C-alpha cells in the first residue's frame, strides 16, 4: 500500500450539511418542508411524561394491599392536587376514618392491588427542539422531527465541553499561536463565540463566562485547567451535557498547541458571522467530535480542494504529529517506507518519514499522525 | 443450525466481528490434531457507508483463502459449506461485538442478591451491563425511572424474589420499568425484550404490568429459586436467543450472516468465557483470563468450577486511559516508572491519548508509562472482579461453638490467587507488547499471583472463535487453545507473605529438562531460562511465614512448564508493596525490571 | 471482779471529782486530738487519743475499760451562731465542756469498744467549730474524767480530693486520648474497627427477608429499658430499621416491656423517617406481648412459626429463652443474629445462630454502625483506657508477687505500696509518710532478723 488511510478532522470551506433534529418521544413538528429556519427557532416540541411518584398507601393506612383499591377516592386517570384527599379508610362504625392526602400533584396513573402502591405522575415536562443551524427544512417525519440542510463552512474540533449554542464569531489576539488569556476578553463579547489561537487558560474561560460569551474556541487547553473548569478529572471523553453556561471547543489537543493555520484563517475570514457550535464529544465507536458550523449565504465557487484524495496518506501531504516526542508539530510526508520499522519502544509498526519546516526529518509511526486537509 | 458429527469436522472457519476489525481464522485437522492454520483480517463493515457486516467477513475470509490456497467464498459471495477436499469449510461459526456488543439493563430486588445474580447471568452471557436497578440501590423511584428512560439497552433482565418469596417487590420493580417505557437501542419499530427470571409466583402479576406498552416479555425459570442456589442457565440461554432474534437481526447484514453459521452467533465476551470454562473443565484447573481493551477491561475467572465475568467499563488503555489515571491516581501509576516524568506534561499526554485513541507509544519512556497505566488498570479491574466473584449472599450459616471468634459473613470472594493455575492475557497492551517479558511482568505486578502459576497470552485474540467452537466441538477447541491460541510465557513462582528484605525467602530445586537450584531472598525477583516445550518439577522450601501453596513454611512440589520468558521466581512478597519515597521506589522498580530483563534493547531504535 | 473494782477505785480515788451522778472510777484517755478529715466535703472529723491506762485485761480476765465515749460541743463562731440549737441549753457561750459534765444527760456522738483509739465522726457540718472530749467507760456506768481535746476543730470542706489525684490524672489522660481520637476521626483520620461479622450481616439478613417476602423479627430481650443491654439492643434496632426501610422489608418487634415498646417505636419511626420512607412505617408492627418471661417466649415462638420470618435478631438481655428462640428460628430456616452480654447465654446463641455479638462487641455496635467520628473516637479512647487499666493490673500483680517473694527489697515494696495506696488508693501523689515509716520499720525489723540469723548461718558454715 503506497497510500494509507489516516483520517484527520474535517475542516472545509464549503459543505452541504444536513442535520437531524429529533424529539426524544413523539410530539409536534412545527415546521414544513422548504421552510427557512433560523438557528434559534423551535422546530418541534412535545411533552415528556412527568416524573413518577410511587406512594405506598397500604402501609400508610395499615391495610393489606388488596384493600387499597376499595379505599381510593380517586380512580386511575384522575387528576389530583397537592393535599387533596386521595384515599380514606372504612374506619370503625363509620368513625375513625383515616384519610391520606396526596403529597404530589399530577394524575393517578395506577393503583396496584398487589403492592398497595399508587403511582402519581407529575405534570408533563415540555421539551423543545431548536433548529440549531439556520437553513432549509428538507424533510419532516411526522411527530418525530425534521432534517435541516444548509450550505456551510464546517470545522471539527478535537474535543469540547458544553452543548449546542450559537453566536457571532469574534477573533481575539493576533495570530493562531497566541495564547488566549483573560485580558483579551472584553465586556462587549456577550453572546459571542470567542476565537483564540493557542492554549486557552482557565481564567480566560472564566472571564468569557462572566461576560456571558456563548462559546470559546482555541487550539489547546491544559488538563489542569480543564479539571479546574469542570470541577472533576474527566475520565472518559463523553461530553456535551456539562452545565457550564459556555461551550468550549479545543481544535488541536491538550497542552500548549497552536490552532491549525487553516482553521484559524477560516474563522478569521468569517469573523462577524453567526455560527452554531456544539461541544459534545464522544470518542467511542461512533465518534462524535465538536463542530463549528457557519451557514453561508451564497455557495462559494468550487475551490480547488487540493490535489490529494481525502484521507489518503501520500508523499508531500501536510500532517500533524499527534504523539510525543514531536507532539503538535506540523510537517510534510517525505517518505512512506513499506516495511514496518522497529520503534524506540521496541515495537514494530508501519512508519513514515516526515520533514518539518526546519528541514529536520523524523520517523513517526503512521498511527501517530493526522492529516491536515488543505 | 446444522448438526454435524464432530468427527466429520475437518475444516473449521471462524470469524469474530469486532467493532473495528473482523478477524477470521481457519482451523484444519492436520496429522491427527486440530491446528489453527491461517488467519485473515479486514475492517468491520457494520456502519455506514457499507452497512453490511458480511462484507467484512467475506473480505477477511478471502484473505485466508488466498493464504491457504483454498476456495472458501463462492462467486455469490457466500461461504462455501460443507467442504469438499479442496474448497469450503465443514462448519462456519462467528461471534460479534460490533456496534458496541450486547448492552443490557438488569433489575432485581436486593442489589447483593437477586440483582447480583441477574448481573452475573447477563455478564456471563457476554453482555455489557449498563445499570443495575434494585430496590435498595439508594435511588428514589423517580430517579430510577429517569435512569431507565435514559438508557437504551438492547434488553432488560428482571429478577427478584425466591420462588414463593416476595411478589410485591418484584411487581414494584416491574412497575418502575413499565412506565419508564425504555426505548431499544436499534430501531423504534421493535418492542423492548424483557426477560423475567424471578419468583414464579409473581409471573402473572408481572405479565399484567407489561401487558401493554410494547414490551416483549419472556418468562424463564427463576435464577435464584432459593437464596442458597443460583440457576443462571435458563436466563443466559434466553439472553442468547434474544440477542440473535432481536438485537442481531436489527444490525445490518446479520440476518445473512446468521444463515451462514453452523452454530448460533455469540457475543464475543460470552464466547471467551465459554472457552475458558471448557478449558478449566477439561484440564481441571482454575483459570483467570483478562482482556484489556481501549475502553473496557474484561476479567473472566473459573474457580472451583464457578465462572464469573466482570466488565470494568472505563478501565482501558485509550478511550479510558484518563479515567485509569484518575481512578488509580497519578502517584500510583508513576510508582511503576523508574524515572522522573513531568506530571503536567504527562497529564496532557494522557488526555491527548484519550482524544486520539489510536496513537502508539514511539519512545521507550512512553511505552513504560503506558505499561505502568496498564498495570494499574489491570489491578483495579481485578479488584472489582474479586469483589464481584463471591459466594452467594443471604445464605444461612451453620455454626459450632468453635466459631465464636471466627465468624465470617457470606459473600466472600472465591478468587484465590494461590489456587490459580493459569493466567491468560489478551488485549493490545498485553499481547502486542514488544517483549513478552513485559507482558509477564505486567501480569505478575497487576494480578499478584501466588504460588505456582502458568502465564500465557492469547496470540492473536483467538479465544472468541474457540469459544463458539467449544459449543460445537470442545475437543477441537481445547486442542487449538493449547497449541495455537496460547503463547506460554512461562511459570511464575511467587511467595505469599512478607519476606524480610535480603533474608532468604525460599529455596528452589528444578529437575527435568533443565536442572537448577538456588535461593531467592526477600524483595528479589529472578528469571531462570526455561524454554517453551520444556517441562520439569520444582521443589520449593519456603522460609518461615512464607507460603508457596501448601501453607506457611511448608515444602511444595509442582510440575512446571517453560515458556518464551522462562521461569520467574518472585520473592517480593504479597501484597506487593513499593517504597513510598520516590527515588528508592524508582531504584527498586529498576532493579526488578533489570532482573527480568524487561526493557532490553534488541535493535537500534529509530527516531529517538 | 470485786477486787478489781476495788483496785480501780483505789487507783482513781485521789482524782478530784469532776462531774456528778456517775462514778468516776477510771483513769481517762489522754492526748485527745480532733482533726478534720482531709479531702472530704467537710462532713467528717477524726478524733484520736491514747488509750487509758486502765484499758487492759484485768487479772480476772475482764477489761478495765469497756469502751470510750466521745462527746462533742459546738463552739459558737461568727457563722456558727445559728447552729446554737446544738449547744446544750444553759451552757452559754462558754468554751468547752462544763466542769460538772453530766455523762448521762449529754448524748455522746459515738462510742467505740476498748483498745480502739480513734473515732470518725461522720455527722458534722462543714464550717462549724467543734470541741471533742473522750471518756473511758467502765462497768456499772463508771466513767473516767473527760479528756478534752486541746484544740477545737473546724470541719472543712475541700474542693479537691487530693487523695484521688491519680484517679484524676488517669481520667484526664483517657479524656485527652478520647478527645484526641475524636478530633483525629473528624479530621478524616481512619480509625479501624475490626469487622464485626454480626453487624455486617444485618444487610444480608434483611435482604434475605426482602427477597423471600418474609418479615424481619427483632427481639429486644426481656429486660426493661433501664438495662444497658436493652439500650444497646435498641441501637442495633435503629440500624436494622434503617436497613429495613431501605430494603422495604417488614420489621416486627414484639416486646416484653411497655417502655421498650415505646422506645422501639420511636427509634424505628425515626429510622424510617431518616431513610425518607415515613410511609413504610407501620406502628402496629412494634407491639407489647407480656412481661411474663415464658409467656413472651411462647408469643415470639408463635410469631416465628406462623409468619416464618427470614431473619431474626436477638439483641438485649436474655435468660433461659435464648435457646428456645434460637432453635425455633433455626428450624424455620431464618438467618439469626444475636447480641447479648449474658455470659451464660452466649454459647447457646453461638451454636444456634448465624452470627453472634459477644459482650463488648454488642456495646461497640453503635459506634461501629454509625461510623460517627465522635463515637469511633471515644471507642478508640476507651480502648486506650482499657489498655492503661490492663497494664496497671498486670504491673500491680507482678509487683505484689515480687514484693512477697523478695520482702526485703525496698524499691519493690515501695512500688507495690505506691500502686496499691496511691494510684489505686486514696493517698494522692506523694506516698503517705506514716505508711513509709511503717514500711521502714518493717524493713528494719526484717534486717534485724536477718542479722540475727546471720551468725547462725555463719556458724553452720564453720
Amino acid at each position: 500500500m503506497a497510500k494509507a488511510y489516516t483520517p484527520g478532522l474535517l475542516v472545509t470551506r464549503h459543505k452541504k450539511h444536513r442535520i437531524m433534529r429529533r424529539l426524544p418521544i413523539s410530539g409536534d413538528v412545527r415546521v414544513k418542508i422548504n421552510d427557512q429556519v433560523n438557528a434559534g427557532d423551535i422546530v418541534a416540541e412535545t411533552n415528556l411524561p412527568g416524573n413518577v411518584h410511587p406512594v405506598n398507601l397500604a402501609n400508610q393506612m395499615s391495610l393489606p394491599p388488596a384493600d387499597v383499591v376499595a379505599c381510593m377516592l380517586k380512580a386511575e386517570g384522575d387528576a389530583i392536587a397537592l393535599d387533596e384527599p386521595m384515599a380514606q379508610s372504612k374506619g370503625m362504625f363509620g368513625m375513625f376514618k383515616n384519610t391520606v392526602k396526596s403529597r404530589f400533584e399530577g394524575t393517578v396513573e395506577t393503583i396496584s392491588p398487589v403492592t398497595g402502591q399508587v403511582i402519581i405522575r407529575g405534570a408533563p415536562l415540555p421539551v423543545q427542539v431548536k433548529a440549531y443551524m439556520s437553513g432549509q427544512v428538507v424533510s419532516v417525519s411526522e411527530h418525530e422531527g425534521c432534517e435541516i440542510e444548509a450550505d456551510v463552512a464546517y470545522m471539527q474540533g478535537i474535543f469540547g465541553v458544553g452543548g449546542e449554542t450559537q453566536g457571532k464569531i469574534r477573533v481575539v489576539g493576533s495570530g493562531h499561536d497566541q495564547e488566549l488569556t483573560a485580558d483579551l476578553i472584553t465586556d462587549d463579547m456577550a453572546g459571542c463565540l470567542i476565537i483564540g489561537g493557542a492554549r486557552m487558560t482557565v481564567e480566560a474561560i472564566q472571564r468569557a463566562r462572566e461576560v456571558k460569551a456563548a462559546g470559546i474556541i482555541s487550539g489547546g487547553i491544559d488538563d489542569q485547567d480543564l479539571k479546574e473548569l469542570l470541577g472533576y478529572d474527566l475520565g472518559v471523553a463523553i461530553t456535551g451535557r456539562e452545565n457550564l453556561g459556555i461551550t468550549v471547543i479545543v481544535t488541536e489537543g491538550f497542552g500548549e498547541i497552536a490552532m491549525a493555520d487553516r482553521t484559524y484563517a477560516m474563522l478569521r475570514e468569517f469573523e462577524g458571522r453567526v455560527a452554531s457550535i456544539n461541544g459534545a464529544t464522544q470518542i467511542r465507536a461512533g465518534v462524535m467530535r465538536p463542530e463549528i458550523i457557519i451557514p453561508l449565504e451564497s455557495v462559494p465557487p468550487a475551490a480547488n480542494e487540493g490535489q490529494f484524495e481525502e484521507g489518503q496518506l501520500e508523499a508531500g501531504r501536510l500532517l500533524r504529529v499527534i504523539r510525543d516526542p514531536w507532539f503538535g508539530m506540523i510537517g510534510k510526508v517525505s517518505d512512506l517506507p513499506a516495511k514496518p520499522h522497529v520503534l524506540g519502544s521496541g515495537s514494530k509498526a508501519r512508519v513514515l518519514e516526515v520533514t518539518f519546516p526546519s528541514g529536520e526529518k523524523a520517523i513517526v509511526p503512521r498511527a501517530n499522525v493526522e492529516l491536515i486537509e488543505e | 443450525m446444522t448438526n454435524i458429527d464432530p468427527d466429520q469436522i475437518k475444516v473449521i472457519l471462524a470469524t469474530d466481528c469486532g467493532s473495528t476489525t473482523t478477524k477470521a481464522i481457519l482451523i484444519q485437522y492436520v496429522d491427527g490434531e486440530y491446528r489453527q492454520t491461517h488467519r485473515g483480517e479486514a475492517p468491520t463493515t457494520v456502519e455506514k457507508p457499507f452497512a453490511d457486516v458480511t462484507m467484512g467477513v467475506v473480505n477477511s475470509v478471502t484473505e485466508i483463502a488466498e493464504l491457504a490456497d483454498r476456495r472458501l467464498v463462492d462467486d455469490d459471495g457466500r461461504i462455501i459449506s460443507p467442504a469438499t477436499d479442496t474448497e469450503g469449510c465443514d462448519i462456519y461459526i462467528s461471534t460479534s461485538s460490533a456496534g458496541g456488543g450486547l448492552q443490557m439493563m438488569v433489575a432485581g430486588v436486593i442489589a447483593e442478591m437477586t440483582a447480583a445474580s441477574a448481573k452475573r447471568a447477563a455478564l456471563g452471557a457476554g453482555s455489557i451491563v449498563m445499570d443495575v436497578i434494585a430496590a435498595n440501590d439508594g435511588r428514589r423511584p423517580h430517579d430510577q425511572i429517569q435512569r431507565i428512560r435514559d438508557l437504551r439497552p438492547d434488553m432488560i433482565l428482571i429478577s427478584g424474589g425466591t420462588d414463593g418469596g416476595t411478589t410485591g417487590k418484584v411487581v414494584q420493580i416491574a412497575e418502575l420499568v413499565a412506565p419508564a417505557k425504555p426505548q431499544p437501542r436499534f430501531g423504534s419499530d421493535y418492542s423492548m425484550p424483557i426477560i423475567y427470571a424471578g419468583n414464579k409466583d409473581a409471573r402473572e402479576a408481572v405479565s399484567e404490568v407489561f401487558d401493554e406498552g410494547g414490551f416483549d416479555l419472556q418468562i424463564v425459570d427463576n435464577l435464584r429459586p432459593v437464596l442458597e442456589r443460583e440457576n443462571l442457565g435458563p436466563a443466559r440461554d434466553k439472553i442468547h436467543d434474544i440477542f440473535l432474534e432481536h438485537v442481531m437481526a436489527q444490525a445490518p447484514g446479520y440476518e445473512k450472516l446468521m444463515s451462514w453459521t453452523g452454530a448460533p452467533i455469540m457475543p464475543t465476551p460470552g464466547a471467551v468465557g465459554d472457552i475458558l470454562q471448557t478449558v478449566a473443565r477439561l484440564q481441571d484447573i482454575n483459570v483467570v483470563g483478562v482482556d484489556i481493551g481501549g475502553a473496557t477491561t474484561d476479567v473472566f475467572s473459573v474457580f472451583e468450577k464457578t465462572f464469573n465475568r466482570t466488565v470494568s467499563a472505563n478501565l482501558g488503555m485509550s478511550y479510558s486511559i484518563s479515567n485509569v489515571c484518575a481512578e488509580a491516581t497519578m502517584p500510583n501509576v508513576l510508582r511503576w516508572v523508574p524515572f522522573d516524568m513531568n506530571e503536567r506534561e504527562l497529564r496532557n499526554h494522557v488526555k491527548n491519548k484519550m482524544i486520539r485513541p489510536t496513537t502508539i507509544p514511539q519512545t521507550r519512556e512512553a511505552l513504560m508509562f503506558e505499561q505502568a497505566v496498564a498495570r494499574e488498570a489491570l489491578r483495579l479491574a481485578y479488584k472489582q472482579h474479586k469483589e464481584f466473584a463471591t459466594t452467594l449472599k443471604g445464605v444461612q450459616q451453620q455454626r459450632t461453638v468453635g466459631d465464636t471468634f471466627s465468624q465470617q459473613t457470606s459473600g466472600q470472594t472465591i478468587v484465590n490467587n494461590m489456587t490459580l493455575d493459569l493466567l491468560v492475557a489478551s488485549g493490545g497492551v498485553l499481547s502486542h507488547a514488544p517483549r513478552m517479558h513485559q507482558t509477564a511482568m505486567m501480569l505478575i505486578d497487576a494480578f499478584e499471583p501466588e504460588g505456582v502459576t502458568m502465564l500465557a497470552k492469547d496470540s492473536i485474540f483467538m479465544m472468541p472463535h474457540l469459544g463458539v467452537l467449544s459449543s460445537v466441538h470442545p475437543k477441537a477447541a481445547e486442542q487449538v487453545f493449547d497449541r495455537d491460541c496460547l503463547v506460554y510465557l512461562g511459570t511464575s513462582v511467587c511467595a505469599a507473605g512478607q519476606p524480610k528484605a535480603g533474608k532468604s525467602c525460599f529455596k528452589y530445586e528444578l529437575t527435568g529438562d533443565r536442572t537448577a537450584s538456588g535461593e531467592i531472598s526477600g524483595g528479589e525477583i529472578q528469571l531462570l531460562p526455561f524454554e517453551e516445550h520444556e517441562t520439569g518439577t520444582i521443589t520449593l522450601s519456603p522460609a518461615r511465614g512464607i507460603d508457596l501453596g501448601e501453607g506457611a513454611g511448608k515444602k511444595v512440589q509442582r510440575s512446571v512448564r517453560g515458556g518464551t520468558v522462562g521461569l520467574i521466581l518472585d520473592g517480593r512478597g504479597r501484597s506487593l508493596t513499593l517504597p513510598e519515597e520516590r527515588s528508592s521506589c524508582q531504584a527498586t522498580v529498576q532493579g526488578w525490571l533489570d532482573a527480568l530483563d524487561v526493557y532490553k534493547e534488541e535493535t537500534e531504535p529509530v527516531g529517538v | 471482779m470485786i477486787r478489781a473494782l476495788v483496785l480501780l477505785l483505789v487507783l482513781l480515788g485521789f482524782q478530784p471529782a469532776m462531774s456528778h451522778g456517775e462514778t468516776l472510777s477510771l483513769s481517762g484517755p489522754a492526748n485527745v486530738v480532733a482533726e478534720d478529715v482531709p479531702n472530704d466535703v467537710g462532713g467528717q472529723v477524726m478524733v484520736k487519743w491514747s488509750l487509758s491506762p486502765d484499758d487492759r485485761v484485768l487479772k480476772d480476765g475482764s477489761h478495765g475499760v469497756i469502751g470510750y465515749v466521745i462527746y462533742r460541743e459546738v463552739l459558737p463562731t461568727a457563722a456558727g451562731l445559728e447552729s446554737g440549737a446544738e449547744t446544750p441549753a444553759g451552757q452559754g457561750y462558754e468554751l468547752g465542756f462544763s466542769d460538772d459534765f453530766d455523762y448521762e444527760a449529754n448524748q455522746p456522738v459515738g462510742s467505740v469498744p476498748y483498745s480502739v483509739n480513734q473515732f470518725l465522726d461522720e455527722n458534722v457540718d462543714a464550717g462549724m467549730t467543734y470541741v471533742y472530749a473522750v471518756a473511758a467507760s467502765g462497768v456499772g456506768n463508771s466513767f473516767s474524767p473527760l479528756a478534752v481535746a486541746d484544740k477545737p476543730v473546724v470541719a472543712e470542706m475541700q474542693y479537691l480530693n487530693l487523695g484521688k489525684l491519680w484517679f484524676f490524672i488517669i481520667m484526664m489522660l483517657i479524656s485527652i486520648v478520647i478527645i484526641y481520637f475524636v478530633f483525629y476521626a473528624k479530621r478524616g483520620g481512619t480509625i479501624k474497627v475490626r469487622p464485626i461479622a454480626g453487624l455486617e450481616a444485618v444487610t444480608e439478613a434483611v435482604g434475605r427477608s426482602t427477597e423471600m417476602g418474609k418479615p424481619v423479627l427483632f427481639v429486644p430481650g426481656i429486660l426493661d429499658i433501664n438495662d444497658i443491654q436493652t439500650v444497646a439492643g435498641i441501637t442495633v434496632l435503629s440500624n436494622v430499621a434503617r436497613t429495613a426501610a431501605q430494603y422495604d422489608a417488614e420489621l416486627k418487634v414484639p416486646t416484653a416491656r411497655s417502655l421498650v415498646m415505646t422506645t422501639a417505636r420511636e427509634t424505628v419511626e425515626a429510622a424510617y423517617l431518616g431513610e425518607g420512607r415515613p410511609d413504610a412505617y407501620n406502628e402496629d408492627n412494634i407491639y407489647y406481648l407480656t412481661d411474663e418471661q415464658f409467656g413472651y417466649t411462647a408469643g415470639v415462638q408463635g410469631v416465628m412459626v406462623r409468619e416464618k420470618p427470614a431473619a431474626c435478631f436477638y439483641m438485649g438481655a436474655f435468660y433461659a429463652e435464648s435457646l428456645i428462640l434460637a432453635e425455633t428460628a433455626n428450624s424455620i430456616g431464618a438467618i439469626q443474629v444475636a447480641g447479648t452480654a449474658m455470659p451464660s447465654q452466649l454459647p447457646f446463641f453461638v451454636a444456634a445462630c448465624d452470627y453472634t455479638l459477644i459482650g463488648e462487641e454488642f456495646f461497640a455496635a453503635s459506634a461501629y454502625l454509625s461510623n460517627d467520628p465522635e463515637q469511633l473516637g471515644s471507642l478508640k479512647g476507651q480502648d486506650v483506657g482499657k489498655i492503661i487499666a490492663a497494664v496497671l493490673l498486670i504491673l500491680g500483680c507482678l509487683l505484689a508477687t515480687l514484693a512477697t517473694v523478695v520482702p526485703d527489697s525496698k524499691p519493690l515494696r515501695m512500688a507495690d505500696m505506691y500502686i496499691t495506696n496511691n494510684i489505686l488508693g486514696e493517698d494522692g501523689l506523694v506516698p503517705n509518710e506514716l505508711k513509709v515509716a511503717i514500711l521502714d520499720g518493717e524493713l528494719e525489723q526484717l534486717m534485724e532478723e536477718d542479722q540475727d540469723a546471720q551468725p547462725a548461718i555463719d556458724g553452720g558454715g564453720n
Side-chain angles (χ1 to χ4, degrees), chain B residues 109-110 112-114 135-136 140 160-162 165-166 169 172 227-228 394-397 399-401 404 407-410, chain C residues 197-198 200-201 203-204 207-208 210-213 246-248 276-277 330 333-335 347 350-351 353-356 358:
Chain B
V109 171
I110 297 296
E112 297 81 15
M113 294 169 197
T114 48
N136 67 325
R140 309 283 303 148
T162 53
T166 180
K169 301 290 177 310
Q172 257 176 33
L227 283 174
E228 281 73 14
V395 176
Q396 214 189 354
Q397 307 279 315
R399 299 259 185 236
T400 63
V401 179
T404 310
Q407 299 173 13
Q408 275 203 333
T409 48
S410 62
Chain C
E200 301 278 302
T203 50
E204 205 185 325
R208 181 183 168 90
T210 314
E211 291 282 9
M212 295 177 68
Q246 275 167 14
Y247 288 23
D248 203 6
R277 304 292 311 269
N330 194 39
I335 282 194
V350 170
C353 293
D354 296 48
Y355 304 98
T356 312
I358 300 156

Side-chain angles (χ1 to χ4, degrees), chain A residues 11-152:
Chain A
V11 175
T12 178
R13 204 172 291 271
H14 173 236
K15 173 179 190 273
K16 239 187 181 23
H17 191 56
R18 187 182 274 217
I19 53 165
M20 183 85 184
R21 310 301 292 163
R22 279 187 84 119
L23 285 167
I25 56 166
S26 70
D28 300 328
V29 179
R30 294 174 60 185
V31 290
K32 298 183 299 297
I33 290 190
N34 292 334
D35 280 1
Q36 282 292 331
V37 288
N38 274 323
D41 293 352
I42 292 161
V43 293
E45 64 184 344
T46 187
N47 287 319
L48 267 187
N51 286 333
V52 174
H53 309 279
V55 180
N56 194 333
L57 274 187
N59 273 331
Q60 279 188 8
M61 301 172 74
S62 298
L63 283 178
D67 293 357
V68 167
V69 181
C71 293
M72 287 300 294
L73 298 172
K74 297 272 171 187
E76 284 184 17
D78 285 359
I80 192 161
L82 196 67
D83 282 332
E84 197 182 349
M86 179 161 59
Q88 193 174 45
S89 67
K90 299 250 174 340
M92 211 180 273
F93 312 118
M95 284 184 292
F96 309 112
K97 283 185 180 170
N98 183 3
T99 309
V100 177
K101 289 178 178 172
S102 171
R103 289 190 287 129
F104 307 101
E105 198 175 338
T107 39
V108 177
E109 181 147 302
T110 55
I111 303 165
S112 170
V114 183
T115 57
Q117 197 162 248
V118 173
I119 292 176
I120 298 174
R121 194 179 278 276
L125 311 164
V127 178
Q128 295 177 327
V129 175
K130 289 185 179 169
Y132 170 54
M133 176 179 85
S134 306
Q136 191 177 25
V137 178
V138 288
S139 85
V140 172
S141 22
E142 224 178 314
H143 305 303
E144 277 184 24
C146 63
E147 278 183 291
I148 299 167
E149 197 181 70
D151 287 301
V152 297

Side-chain angles (χ1 to χ4, degrees), chain B residues 357-434:
Chain B
T358 53
T359 60
I360 57 172
Q362 178 166 7
T363 59
R364 190 195 317 205
E365 283 70 27
L367 178 78
M368 283 165 107
F369 176 71
E370 209 158 293
Q371 295 188 343
V373 176
R375 281 179 173 90
E376 286 303 303
L378 292 171
R379 189 177 63 84
L380 292 172
Y382 197 42
K383 193 170 153 235
Q384 287 177 6
H385 185 78
K386 281 185 200 158
E387 280 161 13
F388 181 71
T390 59
T391 56
L392 297 182
K393 282 190 185 160
V395 176
Q396 214 189 354
Q397 307 279 315
Q398 294 300 325
R399 299 259 185 236
T400 63
V401 179
D403 294 338
T404 310
F405 299 106
S406 59
Q407 299 173 13
Q408 275 203 333
T409 48
S410 62
Q412 301 288 324
T413 183
I414 57 166
V415 172
N416 181 354
N417 274 348
M418 192 54 98
T419 60
L420 175 63
D421 299 299
L422 176 63
L423 178 54
V424 184
S426 72
V429 71
L430 290 171
S431 45
H432 296 151

Side-chain angles (χ1 to χ4, degrees), chain B residues 20-86:
Chain B
T20 51
T21 41
T22 299
K23 294 180 182 120
I25 60 165
L26 187 69
I27 295 166
Q28 286 169 300
Y29 192 71
V30 189
D31 303 332
E33 56 176 17
Y34 288 95
R35 295 299 297 258
Q36 181 261 329
T37 48
H38 300 282
R39 65 188 175 106
E41 242 181 63
T44 298
T45 50
V46 165
E47 279 164 33
K48 286 174 187 171
F50 314 103
D52 182 355
V53 71
T54 56
M55 286 175 68
V57 170
V58 168
N59 288 345
S60 63
V61 171
T62 310
E63 198 178 329
I64 292 192
E66 284 167 15
L67 292 167
D69 199 17
R70 184 184 178 92
R71 202 162 155 253
L72 291 167
V73 182
D74 66 14
D75 298 334
D76 301 336
R78 284 183 63 95
I79 286 167
I80 303 166
S81 178
T84 62
D85 281 346
T86 52

Side-chain angles (χ1 to χ4, degrees), chain A residues 258-278:
Chain A
M259 189 183 287
D261 245 342
R262 186 156 168 262
T263 315
Y264 188 78
M266 243 164 82
L267 286 167
R268 183 137 248 184
E269 183 189 326
F270 290 113
E271 180 157 17
R273 300 280 279 275
V274 173
S276 303
I277 61 167
N278 187 359

